[in-house]
Amino acid sequence: MLAPPPKVSDKALTEWIFMHGELRADMIDAGAGVSVEEKDMFDNNIVAGSSLTSWSAYYRTINYCNTVLDYAPSVKDSDPTLTDAQLNAFRSEALTIRAMMYFYLVKTFRDVPLKLTSSAKDTDLEELAKSTSAEVLTKIVSDLKEAEAIAVSTYGSTVVNKGRVTKYTVNALLADVYLWMDNYTGCVAECNKVINSQLFSMQSANGSWYTNVFYNGSSTETIFEFNNQLSTGSVPNVFYNVILAPKKRYIASSYLITDAFVPDDVDPDRIVDIRADNFFRSNDFTITKWGTENPSYVNWQVYRITDVLLLKAEALAMQNDSGAEAIAIIEDIRLKRAAVKATGETPDPGDQDAIVDYILHERSREFAFEGKRWYDLLRVAKRTNYRRLNVLTDMIASTVSPAVQQSAITKFQDKNSHYLPISEAQLFVDPKLVQNPFYTK
Amino acid sequence: MIIMKNFNVRNFTVLVVICAFAFVLVNSCKKANYTQTTTEDVNITGYLEKYPEQYSLMTQIINRSGTAGFLAAYGKYTLFTPSNDAINEWLKAKGKTTVDQMPVEELKDMIKYHLLPDTIATSRFTDGKLPQITLYGQYLQTGAKIQSGVSSYIVNKSAFVTKSNVRVGNGIIHVVDHVLAPATLTLAKSIEANARYTYFTQAFKETGFYDSLNVNGATVKDTTRRFQTVILESDSALKAAGFSTYASFKARYSKTGNPQSHSDSLWLYMAYHISTGPTYVPDIITTPAIYTLAPKEVITTKFEGQNVLLNEDEFNGVVEPGVLINRTYSDVTASNGVYHEVKKPFAIKVRVQTAVYWDVADQADLRSNPKWRGAASATIPLVANGASTLSGVIWNDPAKYTQAQNYEFAAVPNAVRKYNGSDFFNLSMGANILRAQWIELRTPMLVKGKYKVWICYNQNGSSVAFQVGVDIGRQGEQTLPNIVDFRQYLSSSGINSTTAALPSADALMLTNGFKRYMALTTETFGTLTGTNVANASGWDNQVGRLAGTVDIQTTDRHWIRLTNLTNGGSSAATYLDMIHFIPVDADQNYPRFSIQGVAFPKK
């Protein structure tokens, strides 16, 4: 997962999650090492031939999961010490990771082939047609429900609890999935399971906050992370060449200083949002969240408690009469992060759109460069039959090159354009796949 | 037995021998299939022939026009091919039923207009013209349009792209749902045919521009005039501006009685709306100024949000509202150019030459940064990731710089180094490529005329000396005579700490090309008092140095360059604060400036 297998030349899964979640949004910009294809994606100028539309890394991981699910039960035949509980725990991890991969695929490509059996030998390969996003989401939900019932609550070690799937990973992912499906009561229920476990809490906003939560990782804030620490025998994260090397591909965008982390207007030296300077260097816009060393061992954060809290706040905001509760959640997070007054907002508890906007802004601060921004914007834009499409068109008006701005805005009015095309290579090997209609013309 | 084709009869004996061997060694050689081509990809014609139900008519056109030869051969082309339905519709409009009835020449032109000598995928489409011209000699224009929830690329505002980026052996094919028709009318005829522009048509005729806009671009000897760009004002916009009839419009501008005279204001007005070259809206956005046919007059451009504004200028601190380009009626292609429409009339602005006291740290890109003149001391890099962070500053080779180039703001000013607005550029200039060899800054709007140029800096012994130039490498390039040496104190003018307090000091400094540019503690403006001492310690750190006189030819924003002349140079040792452009006949000494960024006039 964290690196392509030997002899496979592909980017690591984490890099794809980062790129697909950030490239089309407004929080990163092109650095000196950016490629033409990446620049085109920044400009919302995407063609099916682009190498950035590969989904191999996700499906490779899905295949690992399928292999476990297919063959794990037969291990009992040769190893009588494997208990049912142990076997189920392994199965719950595979089901959850597979669901997580399909969730990324649905959010990125919308309709994708649903492959639920392993491809362990050549005869296992099959040409699959696409399933609709609704079908895939239904499968994700049923898999996660199954996983929740058999998942463990603890592995007996903090680091392992964060780096492997627990019940709470399942709940957090399911909350995210429910919110994507606009199932607000389901989302709140899943969030409450995580919050009420009392196992996760925000750390205080002191000088060691970044070190605890990101640099060392596995803190009380983290629900699930991809572990990159040397001490666990893992591989370093992939981000040195992406965001740190002299010819880095991406830098933080000016949105970070003009909107996300505005300095305090009274005493900007002492009153600071603890997230700002820990996430990027404001003098040269280098992204420092994933470490500054080469190699860097900072863990990739998948779900933290603040994510669950803000998912809950968004679900609450979309229900009637819960606006005040949603605002209270946001304000609590801002307090713990020492957010400055200048970035505060005072939405009316009855004004759903204003509260959701506030949540989007707070999420952009909390989850900057975590591969979530594009999906957050799209989730809000597509809700209620794209009532808030302007969230995307307003964003793109400020991010793409002026010479293609009008085209980019017009393209975004076609909802098919919000999902990436199936890459030409995949269409070639699987004739049953049908290209997203936006990219055929 | 494909191999056999390669042998001829004379080698028959050889053939027999080889065959005998082949039969002995490989018995099954008969059944082998050999591929003779290096690739399975078809070329453009091959692709069209593969789908006759959609493209058979295009194949016929290609064959009849005699272009099949090169479209089937290797090369790099982009073909916009209409579908059969589109071609049938086109034939019907021409009163024909089959391709065979069309004249060969017309078909040849049709192919030429749909063909570009380069591979252009949709990722290279812009909101304006394509980067390459068609073989016909007119640009195609692209964009995107939404129709019942589905957005598509659209070519020439009329034909939707229904299938794009089909890669074939010798290029790329895009399928369009209408035949593209080249513009047949010239700019003059096209504008005349449009009922929105009767005032402008009449004015073009009377000023003589009608004829120069009515030429076939391909035959024009002056290559810069092959394409022209016209910015139009509609009749309704002119009526809204108070010109109820054409006569009243003409009377307002034409004062000489001869509108064809180049000194007549109507001629100038119309000339100000014409420029050379095919400038589509995205080109307008990306160019800072349009050079018009009115001598030395430019139209400045600005892109704000989604709006393209002309002549929106900040002048002496006052923002003059510009006019908006009406994109619905713009990017209209004619055979010899393109025209646009603006929502309100605009004319050459008659401006009086005024002094510009420019704080170089006051840049639009910096102002949008909340740290700029904020509550705390701040440093903002001017070069990051190997490139300039400001659109108004150019460096010789920023990718190589390792030494910092910064904007700095001091919340509490240094006791002996004071700056206008308490901010300045802290530069690393020098001969070593790790530092900048030159820096070029885009000035505020300068009205045409002669100016004395003053470089205002804080002295540092580790800095360097500069040659100052204006519009280097551009039209109207000028190099100024005086070397501006940032290592020099104000005392280099010959005034020392004793004589500096005398009333005669200012005049003596001026004669030697120096001046104080910061207000003294004895000077006041409103409730503010200056902060610089007349002759106590540190009195001569802040230096205004005359670089020379520049003759600005066009009212526009220009570029001023400081080029290092020395072998040395240290990092973070060059402190640039302001540049003054003062008309030669105006007071060079005042106003003076303050840490609050306020100008103190002479009392």
Side-chain angles (χ1 to χ4, degrees), chain B residues 89-411:
Chain B
E89 196 186 315
W90 178 65
L91 290 173
K92 207 170 145 194
K94 299 255 172 200
K96 305 280 184 343
T97 50
T98 65
V99 170
D100 290 340
Q101 296 167 3
M102 290 291 292
V104 172
E105 274 312 304
E106 202 166 325
L107 293 178
K108 211 173 251 177
D109 281 349
M110 183 269 191
I111 294 291
K112 278 183 183 169
Y113 191 57
H114 287 76
L115 195 61
L116 285 76
D118 194 2
T119 46
I120 294 170
T122 51
S123 55
R124 288 179 69 193
F125 285 18
T126 69
D127 294 343
K129 63 178 193 277
L130 285 178
Q132 268 284 352
I133 197 164
T134 63
L135 292 180
Y136 182 80
Q138 276 183 29
Y139 286 99
L140 291 179
Q141 189 226 331
T142 53
K145 200 171 176 187
I146 185 107
Q147 256 192 340
S148 52
V150 177
S151 66
S152 319
Y153 286 106
I154 187 164
V155 183
N156 281 2
K157 297 185 176 183
S158 59
F160 282 104
V161 175
T162 54
K163 190 171 171 61
S164 62
N165 302 327
V166 180
R167 279 169 206 278
V168 290
N170 58 348
I172 289 184
I173 298 176
H174 305 292
V175 182
V176 286
D177 69 349
H178 281 93
V179 174
L180 305 172
T184 49
L185 295 180
T186 60
L187 278 167
K189 296 271 188 205
S190 173
I191 294 165
E192 188 176 20
N194 192 326
R196 295 175 67 81
Y197 311 116
T198 62
Y199 282 33
F200 259 54
T201 307
Q202 187 61 28
F204 279 138
K205 282 182 176 164
E206 291 185 16
T207 50
F209 283 113
Y210 187 90
D211 296 332
S212 66
L213 293 174
N214 193 26
V215 291
N216 176 359
T219 62
V220 176
K221 287 217 180 74
D222 179 357
T223 51
T224 63
R225 296 282 179 95
R226 205 153 272 180
F227 293 103
Q228 300 186 67
T229 303
V230 182
I231 299 173
L232 295 169
E233 293 159 11
S234 68
D235 294 355
S236 56
L238 285 164
K239 278 179 187 154
F243 302 114
S244 56
T245 60
Y246 172 73
S248 65
F249 172 66
K250 183 182 173 185
R252 166 71 181 78
Y253 289 102
S254 182
K255 306 286 187 195
T256 63
N258 175 17
Q260 304 224 3
S261 153
H262 289 201
S263 57
D264 188 272
S265 293
L266 186 64
W267 186 90
L268 285 168
Y269 190 96
M270 300 319 286
Y272 192 52
H273 288 73
I274 306 173
S275 57
T276 55
T279 312
Y280 286 77
V281 173
D283 309 319
I284 294 179
I285 295 171
T286 48
T287 178
I290 304 168
Y291 290 83
T292 68
L293 295 191
K296 314 254 157 94
E297 296 293 347
V298 298
I299 300 170
T300 61
T301 67
K302 193 171 178 188
F303 185 60
E304 217 173 50
Q306 296 185 42
N307 295 330
V308 188
L309 291 156
L310 302 182
N311 281 349
E312 170 134 323
D313 300 318
E314 184 176 323
F315 193 69
N316 264 350
V318 180
V319 177
E320 301 174 349
V323 294
L324 202 58
I325 288 207
N326 188 344
R327 287 185 101 151
T328 322
Y329 294 103
S330 293
D331 284 337
V332 180
T333 307
S335 63
N336 59 343
V338 55
Y339 68 79
H340 312 290
E341 183 185 309
V342 284
K343 290 193 168 167
K344 279 183 183 164
F346 66 98
I348 298 171
K349 285 186 184 166
V350 181
R351 296 188 199 268
V352 184
Q353 198 193 358
T354 44
V356 172
Y357 304 98
W358 179 37
D359 188 327
V360 296
D362 188 358
Q363 301 264 345
D365 293 335
L366 286 171
R367 252 183 274 170
S368 65
N369 189 322
K371 286 181 180 173
W372 183 80
R373 293 190 189 174
S377 296
T379 300
I380 305 172
L382 303 176
V383 171
N385 304 301
S388 177
T389 57
L390 308 179
S391 59
V393 177
I394 301 176
W395 308 83
N396 66 314
D397 194 359
K400 294 213 174 72
Y401 300 170
T402 58
Q403 304 302 300
Q405 314 288 354
N406 284 330
Y407 160 88
E408 273 179 32
F409 170 71

Side-chain angles (χ1 to χ4, degrees), chain A residues 343-363:
Chain A
T343 59
E345 291 166 46
T346 50
D348 185 276
D351 187 345
Q352 287 189 342
D353 288 354
I355 300 172
V356 170
D357 282 343
Y358 196 9
I359 293 171
L360 272 184
H361 295 153
E362 202 52 45
R363 287 185 71 90

